[in-house]
Every structure is written in structure tokens, then in C-alpha cells.
Amino acid sequence: MTISTTQRGRATAAVSVAAVLALTATACGDDGSGSGSGTEGSGKGEITFWDNNGGPRTAVWTEIIEDFEKQHPDIDVTYVPIPIADVQSKYDTAIAGGGLPDVGGVGTAYLANMVSQEALEPVNDRLEKSALRGKLVESMVESVRAAAGRGDDVYSVPTSANNGVLWYRTDLFERAGLKAPDTWANFYTAAEKLTDAKKNEFGYTIRGGAGSIAQALDAVYGQSGITEFWDGDTTTLNDPKNVAALEKYAGLFKRTTPAADVNNDFTKMVAQWDTGTIGMLSHNLGSYQDHLKALGEDKFAGIPAPIGEGGTRVQVSNPVDGLGLFRSSRNKTAAWKFIEFAASHASNSKWNESAGAIPANAEAAKDPWINETESTALAAKTLTDGSTKIVDLPYYLPDWNNISKADNEPEFQKVLLGKITAKAFLDDMAEQLNAANKEWKELGNG
């Protein structure tokens, strides 16, 4: 689908057609080889853009693309929405068989995997000559640089960062006479007191389906207070303090959480919380609009991760989202114009305000809307004022996404169901990570 002012009415119908064509045939600008060298092109004509969170972000991308095409009438952008759960597999399939886009949304969680397959082009030189030079939040640039695992090379232009949020029902807390869950002790107290299973009321909803590992690690390190993921060449994941933390956290399942949580991904979890009978939900800034629509602004609030016993807030790093330029593009000049436009002040602010995320454009990060929502303002402060210790997850490992998703999400479900122990789960995952890190270093990295 090419989104333009003349085709606005056909947008919805064309999305599915474009998705099928782009994923089963050679996409515009691709030479069909998956990771070919491509060409700079004329800077005009058609380019293809894959959205890595198609559906929830389709509306705002539609606006940005229309704005871009007004400024660049000689460039048409074909928009393809990829569901967030499918994005890595879609990229892997296209890398192997051809059909990559010119530009695509790329998160740091799977950036290293794509870089290792030589699918993306480094953009250091383009950034140096760009209007974006000096305009991007340096910590986010550093995150995408580190996640790629290729020294100083940057393979993605950062667009946003998210942050974990503990959403809680202020009305239910007030009714029960509970303190805000700003410490882990308060969190567990509230989980217990807000639960009445006979009335289908629960203190917390735990993520047991897709995306469960990152949430569990946030709770684990948040409670243990351990601030480094590696101790030399060995992960701290299965440290006894972390084991004890996971035992306590997983022990909430079915006792202060719904039984359906074992299979819930974020969409089901958010929808379940928005029905209004659950006290707390761990998600991120992206679900704010859902809560606002379902509950109204006076019935809920969001805070960063609870503070641990040592008085410090510890949380794991959240992936930084960005836009990648594909090596195989036959029109890199036009593709880069689109990336520059999307990461510019106005577009980046528009996208992040819609998503409820933290802008990567430094000017956009100062816009008034950041402080209009307490949860977003607190998240921005958490990421910038040094009060929070961030445990950097090893996104640079090509195997990280498989280890943290396909390999271990089913195993975490076994922990919740009592089929394996928290220690066995963390020991096994630690062994996988230590091996992946060793292999990565043996290849000359690190």
C-alpha cells in the first residue's frame, strides 16, 4: 500500500494486500537476495517500509507517511504492518529468501541477530552528514550501538525508548486503605489484600504468555538489587538472590492472580486489567491510552518499578526502538530521507506522544506533552536523572531473542505451574546465556 492524500480512503483495505505481497514476493527496492549490496538510487520513486508494531501504531505511521509524501511528492512509501510478535521471524524469512524492505522498524532486542546476518547497513556516515547530527538522545544512540555488537558502528537510528510501569488502581487502593505500591513490600501487601478469588478480584495480573521473560527479569533484579547482568564472563541471572526473588514472584500465580495469566500476552493481560477487577499490572508506557479509555484518568496511576529493600530502584533495560536501512535497498537515498523525516522533531514527537513512549529526538523529548502524563514524566526522569540502576540485558548476543523468548517462555510457564523450580529454570537459562556469550567472544567480539 502506498499511503498518500489521494489514497487515504483505500488505506485499511490495502494494508493486508501489501502485507501479503511484501512477505511472499520481492519487496520494492530489494534485489531478492536478502542481504545484497543494493544501490543509492535516484532518491525518487517508491520505497517500502515495514512497521514492527503494525496495528497499534498503524494510525500514527499513516499520518507521518502522509506528512512525508507532502514534503517529498516524488517519493511514495509503501507501508506494511508487521505484528510485533511476528517481526523477527518475518525478517529472518526475508533475509533468507529475499523480500526485505528499504526501511524497517528494528528494536534492540533483535538488532544483533539482523546485523550478524548482514541485513542492515551502518548509518554512521549518514548521521554525521544529517540534520539529525547532535539531535538524538545520546544514551539511546549508545544503546543501539551497543546492541549491534559491532564496535562503533550504528545500525539503527533510535526513535523511542519505553519503560516498565507498574500500573495500579488508585480507587481500589484507597478503598482498601493501602499505600501506593512504590516498594516491593507494599506491592506484595497489596497483591494479597486486593485478592478475593470468589468475587473474581485479584491483586495482580502476571504475564505468563509471550513476552513473559522480560517482565519476570524486571521483578527478579528489582527485588534482588543486583545491578549487573554479568560477573566477568558469567551471568548473575541464577544468583541465589535472584532465585529467591523469582520464587516469591512466581508464587503469586493463581494465589493473587487469575489462572488465565499462564497464557496471557500483553494484549490479553491489558484487556483483562482494564475490566476493572484487578489491582496491579506490570506493563509499560504503551498501554496508557488503553487504561485511560477503559477506566478514566481518576482510577489508575503508573509508577516505575518498586524500590527494593536497599532503598534503590533497579530495573532491567528496555529495548530501544529504531529504524534500520537495509543493505539490499535499491533506493537508499530515498529511504534515508524517510528515516531522517521520521526521526525529526515533529514526527518523532507525534509518534511518541501517540505511543506514550520517550522520544529519541532530544528536542521532541522536551515537548510539553511529556509532563502532561505523570507516568510518562516519571519514566523520563527514571531514564535520565541517575536515580535508577539499570541492568543492561545482553541484546548484543545474536541468540538473545531466541533464548529470552522461544527457548524459555514455555519453561517459565512450567515455573508458574509448579512443574519445575525457579532455581532449575534460572540455572538452565544462565547456562544458555553463558554459552552464547562465550561463542560471541570467540568470534572476536567484546
Side-chain angles (χ1 to χ4, degrees):
M1 177 195 70
T2 301
I3 298 178
S4 67
T5 53
T6 60
Q7 291 179 305
R8 185 191 299 267
R10 299 202 302 271
T12 302
V15 164
S16 59
V17 175
V20 172
L21 291 175
L23 296 176
T24 58
T26 300
C28 299
D30 191 354
D31 63 1
S33 66
S35 58
S37 59
T39 60
E40 287 299 314
S42 65
K44 302 178 181 180
E46 188 174 335
I47 60 171
T48 299
F49 165 57
W50 282 13
D51 175 8
N52 60 341
N53 194 4
R57 305 292 172 244
T58 294
V60 67
W61 274 121
T62 299
E63 289 187 30
I64 291 171
I65 290 170
E66 288 175 347
D67 293 342
F68 173 77
E69 290 181 338
K70 287 177 184 176
Q71 285 197 20
H72 300 274
D74 51 0
I75 302 175
D76 292 322
V77 180
T78 297
Y79 170 82
V80 182
I82 309 295
I84 192 170
D86 301 334
V87 65
Q88 183 174 351
S89 64
K90 297 300 185 186
Y91 277 136
D92 286 343
T93 298
I95 290 169
L100 284 168
D102 300 277
V103 180
V106 180
T108 49
Y110 49 89
L111 177 62
N113 175 64
M114 296 176 68
V115 169
S116 70
Q117 297 182 77
E118 306 298 337
L120 295 169
E121 180 159 308
V123 295
N124 305 56
D125 291 343
R126 296 179 195 269
L127 278 172
E128 279 296 306
K129 301 171 184 176
S130 169
L132 294 174
R133 180 181 177 183
K135 298 293 181 65
L136 300 175
V137 176
E138 186 55 39
S139 62
M140 296 193 202
V141 176
E142 180 55 35
S143 290
V144 298
R145 180 186 290 117
R150 289 283 183 90
D152 292 332
D153 284 340
V154 175
Y155 286 86
S156 171
V157 175
T159 54
S160 69
N162 213 323
N163 197 66
V165 177
L166 178 61
W167 300 105
Y168 69 102
R169 288 287 304 276
T170 52
D171 57 338
L172 299 183
F173 271 70
E174 289 172 6
R175 191 182 308 159
L178 291 166
K179 296 179 181 178
D182 52 359
T183 68
W184 283 103
N186 288 347
F187 166 82
Y188 281 107
T189 296
E192 297 285 350
K193 289 193 175 182
L194 292 175
T195 297
D196 188 340
K198 292 180 180 178
K199 294 182 180 179
N200 199 36
E201 297 173 353
F202 297 94
Y204 185 59
T205 174
I206 197 168
R207 190 168 181 170
S212 60
I213 301 301
Q215 180 176 306
L217 295 188
D218 219 12
V220 163
Y221 280 94
Q223 293 175 83
S224 72
I226 295 171
T227 59
E228 298 292 338
F229 193 80
W230 298 103
D231 181 6
D233 292 333
T234 304
T235 180
T236 60
L237 184 64
N238 58 338
D239 182 281
K241 292 182 180 178
N242 281 342
V243 172
L246 183 58
E247 287 173 345
K248 188 171 185 179
Y249 181 72
L252 295 174
F253 176 64
K254 281 180 65 174
R255 193 164 53 80
T256 65
T257 80
D261 281 358
V262 70
N263 293 311
N264 280 358
D265 59 10
F266 88 91
T267 54
K268 293 176 182 176
M269 189 173 62
V270 167
Q272 181 175 259
W273 193 70
D274 287 345
T275 62
T277 61
I278 300 173
M280 296 177 291
L281 159 75
S282 295
H283 189 229
N284 57 46
L285 293 168
S287 57
Y288 171 77
Q289 292 296 335
D290 295 314
H291 309 325
L292 184 64
K293 183 178 179 180
L295 302 170
E297 65 179 339
D298 296 331
K299 291 185 178 180
F300 75 98
I303 58 174
I307 295 171
E309 290 182 1
T312 301
R313 176 179 287 114
V314 178
Q315 66 181 52
V316 300
S317 56
N318 278 264
V320 172
D321 210 14
L323 295 171
L325 176 65
F326 285 83
R327 288 183 186 271
S328 57
S329 170
R330 290 294 185 89
N331 201 349
K332 294 177 185 177
T333 301
W336 179 251
K337 288 179 182 178
F338 177 68
I339 291 174
E340 281 186 305
F341 184 87
S344 67
H345 180 178
S347 297
N348 193 238
S349 186
K350 178 182 287 188
W351 191 95
N352 281 280
E353 184 175 11
S354 172
I358 309 301
N361 185 290
E363 294 172 334
K366 298 176 183 177
D367 283 351
W369 66 265
I370 292 286
N371 293 314
E372 290 176 359
T373 305
E374 183 183 20
S375 54
T376 304
L378 287 172
K381 184 178 179 181
T382 293
L383 293 174
T384 59
D385 72 355
S387 64
T388 298
K389 300 297 183 182
I390 306 294
V391 179
D392 290 315
L393 298 179
Y395 299 125
Y396 57 84
L397 293 178
D399 290 336
W400 166 252
N401 221 33
N402 284 329
I403 291 172
S404 63
K405 291 185 179 293
D407 293 348
N408 283 291
E409 285 177 350
E411 297 304 301
F412 181 66
Q413 289 179 319
K414 293 179 183 178
V415 175
L416 295 180
L417 295 170
K419 294 182 178 180
I420 61 174
T421 66
K423 184 177 187 305
F425 168 75
L426 292 177
D427 282 345
D428 188 52
M429 189 171 172
E431 184 178 349
Q432 295 170 43
L433 287 164
N434 290 337
N437 190 51
K438 180 181 179 182
E439 181 180 1
W440 184 74
K441 288 193 172 184
E442 287 175 347
L443 293 173
N445 301 299

